Amino acid sequence: MFCYQCEQTSKGVGCQTQGVCGKDETTAALQDLLTHAVKGISVYAHHARLLGAADKRLRVCDPDVDAFVIQALAATLTNVNFDSDRLVALIYEAVAMRAAARCVYERAAGESGIAAVQFVGAAAWIAADTVEGLIEQGRSVTLPARILLESKEIANLQELVLYGIKGVAAYAAHALALGAGDVESFGKIHEALCFLTHDGPSAAELLAMALSVGELNYRVMEVLDKAHTGTFGNPRPTQVRLGARKGKAILVSGHDLHDLYALLEQTRGMGIEVYTHGEMLPAHGYPKLRAFAHLAGNYGGAWVDQAADFDAFPGAILMTSNCMQEPKATYNDRIFTSSAVNWPGVKHVEGTAFGPVIEAALAAPGFTEAGGREEITVGFGHHAVLSVADKLVEAVKSGKLRHLFLIAGCDGARSQRSYYTELAKAVPEDCAILTLACGKYRFNKLVQGKVAGLPRLMDMGQCNDAYSAVQVTLALAKALECGVNDLPLSMVLSWYEQKAIAVVLTLLWLGVKNLRIGPTLPAFLSPGVLALLEENYNLMAITTPEKDLAAVLHGRREFNPEALLSGGLSARL
């Protein structure tokens, strides 16, 4: 196997025997083959859409095909699906979906009066009829095998595009769960995946596609934001209890608000308290979720703490999306997965039939007494922040608010992530911090107080809510009549998996400069591409909190973003 799609990849180079995340060689090979199969589906879906551009009946290849591609890609994200049986089933389902997409394409070709192309590669491979055969096929399409056909530089850029698309698919999957899909976005996903099957792409073409994926991600995040707020209401600043209530309990982790809502509905009036964990913390800010009296509070920390948190939790546990770790034996009989998440031996809930979860909660002891009453505040989505935009703008203009820091992103296990804790603690008291995603657990109980009448720490939500941060940034630039890069705002990001990569591509597409990323830069950013990003966007790795604070507050550098895709690209690469 070879995998370097997450930040914790072995030695900063790549996992080659077993993933740091816990996946084995079999799982890795099957995930690679599933990705290959999905590319084949998109070849037909993309060309069908091209032929049907003037015919609205053909603008979508097939709703089932579109939805399957999203769900299959989501299954290949880091810390999502470790179940080889489920991956095998998805691969064979992909073959059927490819046949459906091919039928749509051939019909479109016939109606257009042209001969259908006989595509090869991912569009034509024949799935082995044994698991062993599928594993061998997976090994033949893994990264090292492709590097033999393309240069390492090109293969790295292909992976950058692919990981961005995987991140997009994760956001799209959450939107689809709420009934929100976007025809144009599905088409762009197919286009990007089809592009990845082309022979001999240039570095310039791949980098242009990566930025196009950033644009696509912006659109999909907007769809998801509207799905969340349209379904559950606009988030409001809300105090969330961290202590436990006495009684039976269910802990919900992951990101999927749709599953949380369904569980709350099914446990209404049953005497079961429901707690959020990890990226579910922001759920408390949504009025329709907050209305459930048995949404009791938040328990534990980020996903990396789940082994200790789940072990100590005296009830049932539901994992709705990434990030899943191998369960300990002490809670293996009371943890459940849903949606794209699967782990061998862990009970999986199909759809929202949460009866087994509820039964496990009733059988568990629950909390025998109430805990403390410590609280933290969530709910500073873009609607909430922009409702006080006049105060924010005035505070900036008057100098009472010197600088805004967006300290956001994923948490992880590397010791270097203490950087984000120390940075947040060191931010001066005349500055404010915007945050989102699970990286905030590094400091969200530490930064307190107000500046110019505004909270010094504003939690904007999940990683899924990166759209909120973008909207606030764009609105501030408009109100202050300056460019985004002229704002007294600095972005310091922590990344772990593919959704973070999609967000970074979106920021680059928007022309945002001076991003600081850590704790390490992606292994798939080849030296040539990294040099271009440094030169044209000043993308940089974090150093130390002291050095980075000094650089942010006392100096700024000028750059030329238009040069990124100029004629100098080929020479650099």
Side-chain angles (χ1 to χ4, degrees), residues 49-323:
R49 188 173 182 276
L50 287 179
L51 291 173
D55 187 341
K56 291 184 179 180
R57 293 175 303 165
L58 296 175
R59 290 187 71 80
V60 180
C61 171
D62 181 312
D64 291 338
V65 168
D66 293 335
F68 175 80
V69 166
I70 297 301
Q71 298 296 339
L73 286 175
T76 69
L77 265 72
T78 301
N79 289 89
V80 173
N81 192 329
F82 299 81
D83 190 333
S84 58
D85 290 342
R86 177 57 182 152
L87 290 169
V88 167
L90 285 170
I91 289 168
Y92 286 128
E93 189 174 355
V95 173
M97 287 295 174
R98 187 184 63 184
R102 179 176 180 174
C103 286
V104 175
Y105 164 68
E106 291 178 344
R107 185 178 74 244
E111 292 179 356
S112 300
I114 64 173
V117 176
Q118 298 302 307
F119 296 108
V120 297
W125 74 279
I126 299 174
D129 55 8
T130 65
V131 175
E132 292 75 15
L134 292 176
I135 294 170
E136 192 58 37
Q137 287 181 323
R139 293 190 182 116
S140 72
V141 296
T142 196
L143 186 63
R146 287 190 285 110
I147 288 175
L148 296 176
L149 302 175
E150 305 278 3
S151 70
K152 187 173 183 180
E153 184 96 0
I154 293 299
N156 284 342
L157 278 169
Q158 289 172 327
E159 294 300 284
L160 173 62
V161 173
L162 176 61
Y163 301 157
I165 285 294
K166 286 187 178 188
V168 171
Y171 294 131
H174 290 303
L176 277 176
L178 294 169
D182 178 60
V183 172
E184 293 297 326
S185 296
F186 294 148
K188 291 294 183 181
I189 290 170
H190 292 310
E191 179 182 359
L193 290 170
C194 178
F195 173 79
L196 290 175
T197 68
H198 294 175
D199 292 332
S202 69
E205 289 172 331
L206 283 160
L207 191 52
M209 180 57 74
L211 294 176
S212 178
V213 170
E215 179 182 11
L216 166 63
N217 187 58
Y218 180 83
R219 183 182 183 116
V220 171
M221 287 194 302
E222 180 180 21
V223 171
L224 178 57
D225 177 77
K226 290 180 179 178
H228 277 160
T229 58
T231 305
F232 305 117
N234 294 329
R236 304 170 185 168
T238 303
Q239 294 291 109
V240 181
R241 177 173 172 163
L242 302 181
R245 295 179 184 173
K246 183 178 180 179
K248 302 293 185 179
I250 296 175
L251 185 63
V252 184
S253 193
H255 304 73
D256 203 313
L257 301 183
H258 168 267
D259 281 7
L260 174 63
Y261 179 79
L263 180 65
L264 287 166
E265 280 281 13
Q266 293 174 36
T267 51
R268 192 196 297 266
M270 297 188 69
I272 298 174
E273 305 292 348
V274 177
Y275 299 83
T276 57
H277 177 269
E279 282 276 64
M280 280 301 202
L281 169 62
H284 295 269
Y286 289 91
K288 194 169 181 178
L289 295 172
R290 186 68 177 172
F292 287 95
H294 61 300
L295 182 60
N298 192 73
Y299 181 93
W303 71 274
V304 290
D305 301 322
Q306 67 184 253
D309 291 343
F310 293 177
D311 191 25
F313 188 77
I317 303 152
L318 176 65
M319 178 62 74
T320 67
S321 68
N322 64 321
C323 299

Side-chain angles (χ1 to χ4, degrees), residues 3-4 6 27 49 72 79 282 310 314 325 344 352 415 480 495 519:
C3 181
Y4 61 5
C6 86
T27 301
R49 188 173 182 276
N79 289 89
F310 293 177
Q325 294 177 314
T352 56
S415 59
L480 292 169
W495 79 282

Side-chain angles (χ1 to χ4, degrees), residues 478-519:
K478 182 178 180 180
L480 292 169
E481 300 180 334
C482 67
V484 168
N485 296 305
D486 299 314
L487 286 170
L489 168 68
S490 297
M491 299 186 183
V492 187
L493 309 179
S494 54
W495 79 282
Y496 175 71
E497 43 83 43
Q498 297 77 64
K499 285 183 287 182
I501 297 303
V503 170
V504 169
L505 291 177
T506 295
L507 294 173
L508 295 180
W509 170 73
L510 288 168
V512 176
K513 307 178 203 174
N514 308 316
L515 295 176
R516 286 176 166 80
I517 299 179

